[in-house]
Amino acid sequence: MAVVDIQEQEINPNEVLLRMHYVGFCGSDLSTYLGRNPMVKMPVIPGHEVGAVIERVGADVPETLKPGMTVTVNPYTNCGKCASCRNNRVNACQYNQTLGVQRDGAMRELMALPWEKVIPAGQLTPRTCALIEPMSVGFHAVSRAMVTDIDVVMVIGCGMVGMGAIVRSVLRGAIVVAADIDDEKLALAREMGASYTINTRTENVHERLQEMTSGFGPDVVIEAVGSPVTYQMAVNEVAFTGRVICIGYAKAEVAFQTKFFVQKELDIRGSRNAQPSDFRAVIHYLERGTCPVDALISGEASPEQAAGAMQRWAENPGKVFRILVKF
């Protein structure tokens, strides 16, 4: 990782020039840094969790976007032609290119983007805006799960995406069980609204869930870790006729007792990225002012300090929610 000078972009008539204030490092950036991200196109400018202010607008940009506005960014592309786009699920476009992964991202002072990808964030600060995209991924998973107020929802993994799933489930009136291996993250999950927590390293997960759910198991399990153990846990522990939502990318093959797929008549769904409506929902939640934003930001770094911050994260990944680079 290095800080380099690049040429300032010219903006096209349909583009907006953004001045970055804060850009978050996420788990995919850590994987890229460690050489473990199979989707990344190297070398790459990282960053897709954006808190920015509009610097300039092109001639064809709608008047709803003006210089000086605080905004975040929808970092995904969609081709408009694949099956996902045809079904209006553009978040899962077959040919998606996410900022900082398949194309250069937002870790730069200035960046030009199509106006359609720029999302006004009202009165939120740019610092808070950098949390919108990762939380929106969790919000989208809850939509995929069709969570209602009669559900018990288990969220496995209390990182930023998992926290988003916890918040959205609580907002929909569900009872939430948060599961993680870190007690500090579990304490924060309670602050975010989880009714119960389970440390999967030190507690008997099955027994605790049976106690909490009167023997039924959770109606919904959202897997937000991406490991064989947690994928198996999701299928094993979800209630009969329950819904399993998969967000995390497992780094190795996963062996399942497929009898549970049939016996329980499970709905097993993937959840990828987020829809524009999920971004709006996160902004609406953050505008309430009840989110413990400071607790979700593990640290800030200048561009020159970013490599050191990433190295410290690599050495102790379980203790970091988000590192923000401040421009």
Side-chain angles (χ1 to χ4, degrees):
M1 184 176 290
V3 179
V4 298
D5 290 322
I6 58 173
Q7 187 172 354
E8 183 177 332
Q9 293 174 283
E10 296 293 327
I11 60 170
N12 295 321
N14 69 327
E15 289 183 328
V16 173
L17 186 68
L18 301 182
R19 181 169 291 279
M20 301 299 165
H21 284 226
Y22 290 90
V23 182
F25 277 127
C26 84
S28 65
D29 296 318
L30 180 60
S31 295
T32 300
Y33 176 75
L34 296 172
R36 300 173 185 167
N37 188 345
M39 294 182 292
V40 73
K41 183 179 180 181
M42 297 289 276
V44 71
I45 299 172
H48 55 259
E49 302 174 359
V50 172
V53 172
I54 295 177
E55 183 88 354
R56 288 200 310 273
V57 298
D60 296 339
V61 173
E63 293 184 1
T64 51
L65 296 174
K66 295 180 171 64
M69 291 178 66
T70 299
V71 298
T72 191
V73 166
N74 182 331
Y76 323 121
T77 63
N78 56 284
C79 69
K81 300 176 181 179
C82 70
S84 301
C85 291
R86 184 176 63 180
N87 292 328
N88 202 32
R89 288 164 63 179
V90 295
N91 57 292
C93 174
Q94 183 176 353
Y95 304 105
N96 166 66
Q97 293 186 338
T98 298
L99 289 176
V101 185
Q102 295 93 348
R103 59 188 175 129
D104 282 338
M107 288 279 179
R108 56 177 97 185
E109 292 174 298
L110 293 162
M111 185 175 191
L113 285 167
W115 70 264
E116 296 92 340
K117 298 298 182 181
V118 177
I119 303 171
Q123 300 303 308
L124 298 180
T125 66
R127 183 171 180 263
T128 299
C129 285
L131 304 180
I132 292 172
E133 191 274 341
M135 291 193 78
S136 73
V137 176
F139 271 47
H140 182 66
V142 173
S143 295
R144 292 283 291 147
M146 301 185 296
V147 170
T148 73
D149 58 354
I150 62 171
D151 288 321
V152 175
V153 178
M154 180 186 186
V155 178
I156 307 175
C158 295
M160 273 296 299
V161 171
M163 289 297 182
I166 290 168
V167 168
R168 187 56 159 165
S169 297
V170 171
L171 290 173
R172 291 189 174 203
I175 295 171
V176 177
V177 181
D180 201 278
I181 61 174
D182 186 274
D183 286 330
E184 292 180 16
K185 288 185 176 180
L186 292 173
L188 185 54
R190 280 191 176 273
E191 190 175 346
M192 303 290 279
S195 297
Y196 303 98
T197 58
I198 301 175
N199 187 314
T200 58
R201 179 173 284 168
T202 62
E203 299 180 78
N204 186 307
V205 175
H206 181 73
E207 289 181 1
R208 288 291 313 282
L209 285 172
Q210 291 297 295
E211 292 168 5
M212 295 170 186
T213 63
S214 302
F216 290 106
D219 305 284
V220 174
V221 177
I222 297 175
E223 199 289 332
V225 175
S227 79
V229 171
T230 50
Y231 263 85
Q232 291 163 348
M233 182 187 298
V235 171
N236 292 346
E237 299 300 340
V238 71
F240 273 64
T241 67
R243 288 98 76 195
V244 174
I245 308 301
C246 307
I247 309 176
Y249 284 92
K251 307 300 188 295
E253 291 186 2
V254 184
F256 288 108
Q257 292 288 339
T258 55
K259 67 178 183 180
F260 288 143
F261 295 12
V262 179
Q263 285 182 345
K264 294 185 177 183
E265 199 175 58
L266 298 180
D267 291 336
I268 300 176
R269 295 184 168 192
S271 182
R272 183 182 179 194
N273 299 333
Q275 289 270 24
S277 59
D278 300 308
F279 282 84
R280 294 197 302 272
V282 173
I283 292 169
H284 182 65
Y285 160 67
L286 291 172
E287 285 177 333
R288 297 181 177 195
T290 58
C291 178
V293 169
D294 290 339
L296 296 173
I297 297 172
S298 304
E300 297 181 14
S302 69
E304 292 76 16
Q305 297 167 331
M310 187 64 83
Q311 182 59 38
R312 289 190 292 274
W313 188 9
E315 291 166 358
N316 195 7
K319 292 295 183 182
V320 173
F321 279 102
R322 274 303 176 273
I323 296 171
L324 302 187
V325 176
K326 182 178 182 180
F327 287 87

